Amino acid sequence: MLSQLIRTSLEQSVQQVFSSLSAAAPEHLTIALEQPANPDFGDYSSNIAMQLAKVLRKAPMAIAELITAELGQQEAIKGLLQRIEVAAPGFINMYVNWQEWANHSFELPPGNGNKVIIEHTSVNPNKSMHIGHLRNSCIGDALVRILKKTGYDVEVHNYVDDLGNQLADTVVGLMNVPLAGDHVRFGDYCWDIYAGINKEYELHPETVHKRTEILHALEEGNSNTAWLGSLVAERIVREHVEEMKNFGITYDLLVWESSILKEGFWSSAFALLEQTAVFVQETEGKLEGCWILKQSAAEGTGADSEEHQKDKVLVRSNGILTYTAKDIAYHLWKFGLLDKNFSYSEFNAGVWTTGPSGQQMPFGEADMVVNVIDYRQEYPQAMVKQALEVLGYAGQAGKLHHVSYGVVSLSPASAAELGIDTSDGKTSYAMSGRQGIGIKVTELVQLMENTIEATRSDKNGLSSRLIATAAIRYYLLRFNLGTEIVFDFKQATEISGNTGVYLMYTYARAGSVLSKAAGMEAGAVLGAAAAATLKTDAMSAVNTAARAVLAADTAVDAAADGTADAAVDAAAEGAADAASEPAAVPDFPAPLDKAELALLRHLSIWQDTLYSASIELTPNTICNYAHTLASLFNNFYSACPILKGEQLTIRFRLWLTSTFQETLGEVLEVLGLPKPERM
């Protein structure tokens, strides 16, 4: 990465300045490096000289001059910086030699091949998925792609809570709530069943005990009811997995909560926790009989302490385990800290599942764990981390990351369209599976597909369904993670602005320019060869062909040998080869047009952006980069004729277009969007 090279060289220069002045450098010195919005102030700039003024007791301008002198001697960046200037009151402004940058090979810091387990989706297997679940899956899959791109060994888990309240309620509903109607999928039928049983609970609260009975039966796992629950969960999970495949989202392993119990994971975790002072059974109060993770006085106080009491309970007084208890056992296994393992069998092609029988596989034993779960699970996730810490696994606790995100709610217009009473004037309305309120993923895809199909004039290229899934995926990724998405049908179906459709269209536009150029170049060479045949002047073909692009070199050689027919064949072959090979770096014109420079500068920070997103676990960072990149290319396309002008200018702009398309292609892959030849 260019910025990393500059930063390292700057750090070394600062150290050398301290050494030359016989001064002690601060122990923790952070060197700020930024890319100014205005290129007149440099392609990179640092205010480090002003930071060091008090330490070195010198004027910032003088310190900046000393650092600049040392920086100019750094071998790592020699040639990469065209010039370095000092500007008042002490800025160090660095200007990149873009020709050298284009010829230089940059690499990302290695991911060391560390194994990362990313858990995402993890939807209750009791009904069809809605768009809130889809946001989780899209974030998780983008993180998988980001970490793989940056050198990590990534294992993708989908945790299936087949022992939870939601599945129990659906089973109760299937056994007690009569329902008829047109349902294409079992998950859609269960969507209505789940809402129906919760209405029954409201009308007849005394029937809630049925949920507890079903929960016990599911945990025991050896009755008609348990088998019914297992069949319901498996059927719905298969629908979920197939549905996510349409978005390019896949998994390596399905981990069933029931497997954690049956394989004795919780028993082993319980034995470990029991040896600590913070895992105790309450003997009085509201939690009498419950096993809890005991909090310190400071942690147990505050406005939300009562709300979180249920989250620190691991075993209820009736003996039923909480989700947090099973999650602790699961995470001990994820890090390879349990003396237990699962048995594995294939769920479908490429996807494995835990179960009562199967074979051994090298799953688990992660160096780092990433859990994509919405912000409402922040406290239970903290309990898992605390459990690791109290068991003496502080290192693993530090490598456990909760990627929290805001939920998806409905705009007033969308809520009204679903029949929700919006007379109270709220700005958003929460989705509720219990009330049957929400937008199923299948419904959203169909709506988007219909809108795109009705508005596109060219039906060639990508299918409307593929465009729809890509557009939805980008829509759910582009918001900051902490932002609540207020979903609106109209906004979601827009195909212009900061959208996935805009990115894909821009990629196709760049490809169209390059294809047109290749056609013009091949035509020029073929015309030259044909003219040489008519004039019986092979050298004429050489002189004309030499003015074509490098891809036609083989045609020139053939014409020079006096074989015009061979030149024709070589021209076609050379054009085809050129289309599949990276464009050679041409000479850069001087000075660069503002639109050219702006695009170059943004292209240069792709690796920085990718690396930052891998550290901060923020897919929306990639979306922000992608939209700016596409906008800068379209500005360049409008301001700078690519296929007209001097040959030097044309070759440079074609190279810049090719480099842009290659970079945007990488970005689209990371975001999970297709790379269309045409839209």
Side-chain angles (χ1 to χ4, degrees), residues 399-610:
K399 293 292 186 178
L400 173 59
H401 302 283
H402 173 206
V403 176
S404 172
Y405 62 92
V407 297
V408 181
S409 58
L410 301 171
S411 70
S414 296
E417 195 167 333
L418 291 174
I420 300 171
D421 180 9
T422 59
S423 59
D424 55 5
K426 290 182 182 178
T427 56
S428 65
Y429 293 84
M431 288 188 288
S432 170
R434 287 184 172 85
Q435 298 178 47
I437 298 172
I439 303 169
K440 300 184 187 77
V441 172
T442 49
E443 293 173 344
L444 177 59
V445 171
Q446 191 62 56
L447 173 68
M448 190 74 162
E449 181 183 2
N450 293 344
T451 300
I452 291 170
E453 186 69 16
T455 55
R456 66 189 299 203
S457 56
D458 184 359
K459 298 295 196 294
N460 296 307
L462 297 180
S463 69
S464 294
R465 177 162 286 261
L466 190 54
I467 295 173
T469 55
I472 294 167
R473 182 181 174 112
Y474 185 80
Y475 179 85
L476 294 172
L477 284 174
R478 70 182 177 90
F479 294 93
N480 290 337
L481 289 176
T483 302
E484 174 192 357
I485 296 180
V486 180
F487 184 86
D488 183 84
F489 281 118
K490 184 175 182 298
Q491 185 183 36
T493 53
E494 289 176 353
I495 57 175
S496 60
N498 185 9
T499 66
V501 175
Y502 177 68
L503 299 185
M504 293 185 292
Y505 167 78
T506 305
Y507 180 88
R509 166 180 268 187
S512 176
V513 171
L514 295 172
S515 296
K516 186 176 181 181
M520 292 169 61
E521 291 155 3
V525 176
L526 292 171
T533 303
L534 290 172
K535 296 178 183 179
T536 64
D537 183 358
M539 287 311 297
S540 172
V542 175
N543 293 333
T544 306
R547 290 194 292 271
V549 294
L550 295 177
D553 283 349
T554 51
V556 176
D557 295 340
D561 292 337
T563 54
D565 287 343
V568 174
D569 294 338
E573 185 178 339
D577 290 344
S580 62
E581 293 180 3
V585 179
D587 291 333
F588 282 26
L592 291 169
D593 185 274
K594 285 184 178 180
E596 295 169 337
L597 178 58
L599 182 54
L600 269 173
R601 279 162 52 94
H602 201 64
L603 285 168
S604 74
I605 64 169
W606 163 232
Q607 287 186 325
D608 299 83
T609 305
L610 178 61

Side-chain angles (χ1 to χ4, degrees), residues 207-451:
T207 62
V208 175
H209 73 88
K210 293 179 180 179
R211 172 196 292 160
T212 304
E213 293 172 1
I214 296 295
L215 277 173
H216 277 297
L218 293 178
E219 284 198 4
E220 289 170 2
N222 54 9
S223 63
N224 292 355
T225 302
W227 277 107
L228 176 60
S230 178
L231 290 170
V232 169
E234 182 178 344
R235 174 67 180 270
I236 291 177
V237 168
R238 287 193 182 277
E239 291 183 1
H240 289 173
V241 170
E242 192 62 31
E243 194 165 37
M244 291 303 94
K245 194 183 296 182
N246 295 329
F247 286 85
I249 298 170
T250 59
Y251 312 94
D252 297 312
L253 180 65
L254 304 177
V255 177
W256 296 75
E257 190 172 278
S258 56
S259 297
I260 290 175
L261 282 188
K262 291 174 182 176
E263 297 298 330
F265 280 32
W266 170 245
S267 298
S268 294
F270 185 93
L272 292 173
L273 287 166
E274 202 175 17
Q275 298 173 35
T276 71
V278 298
F279 184 56
V280 298
Q281 187 174 33
E282 292 282 28
T283 57
E284 58 184 20
K286 292 181 179 179
L287 301 180
E288 182 180 356
C290 298
W291 285 89
I292 68 165
L293 271 181
K294 195 174 182 180
Q295 308 296 296
S296 66
E299 292 172 315
T301 59
D304 62 348
S305 60
E306 184 174 349
E307 177 188 344
H308 287 157
Q309 276 190 341
K310 63 180 182 297
D311 296 319
K312 68 182 180 182
V313 173
L314 302 189
V315 185
R316 299 187 183 99
S317 58
N318 60 7
I320 291 179
L321 301 181
T322 64
Y323 176 89
T324 306
K326 288 167 279 195
D327 215 23
I328 289 171
Y330 177 31
H331 281 80
L332 286 167
W333 171 82
K334 281 184 181 180
F335 282 113
L337 302 174
L338 274 189
D339 58 350
K340 302 284 184 181
N341 205 347
F342 295 111
S343 294
Y344 307 96
S345 58
E346 275 199 289
F347 187 76
N348 58 30
V351 183
W352 291 81
T353 179
T354 62
S357 62
Q359 63 190 81
Q360 292 301 301
M361 295 287 290
F363 289 118
E365 299 191 4
D367 300 298
M368 182 169 83
V369 171
V370 176
N371 296 328
V372 182
I373 309 176
D374 75 56
Y375 77 93
R376 293 170 298 186
Q377 297 299 312
E378 185 175 343
Y379 194 81
Q381 285 289 296
M383 291 297 95
V384 174
K385 181 169 285 196
Q386 183 194 344
L388 290 172
E389 289 171 342
V390 300
L391 288 171
Y393 302 123
Q396 286 81 356
K399 293 292 186 178
L400 173 59
H401 302 283
H402 173 206
V403 176
S404 172
Y405 62 92
V407 297
V408 181
S409 58
L410 301 171
S411 70
S414 296
E417 195 167 333
L418 291 174
I420 300 171
D421 180 9
T422 59
S423 59
D424 55 5
K426 290 182 182 178
T427 56
S428 65
Y429 293 84
M431 288 188 288
S432 170
R434 287 184 172 85
Q435 298 178 47
I437 298 172
I439 303 169
K440 300 184 187 77
V441 172
T442 49
E443 293 173 344
L444 177 59
V445 171
Q446 191 62 56
L447 173 68
M448 190 74 162
E449 181 183 2
N450 293 344
T451 300

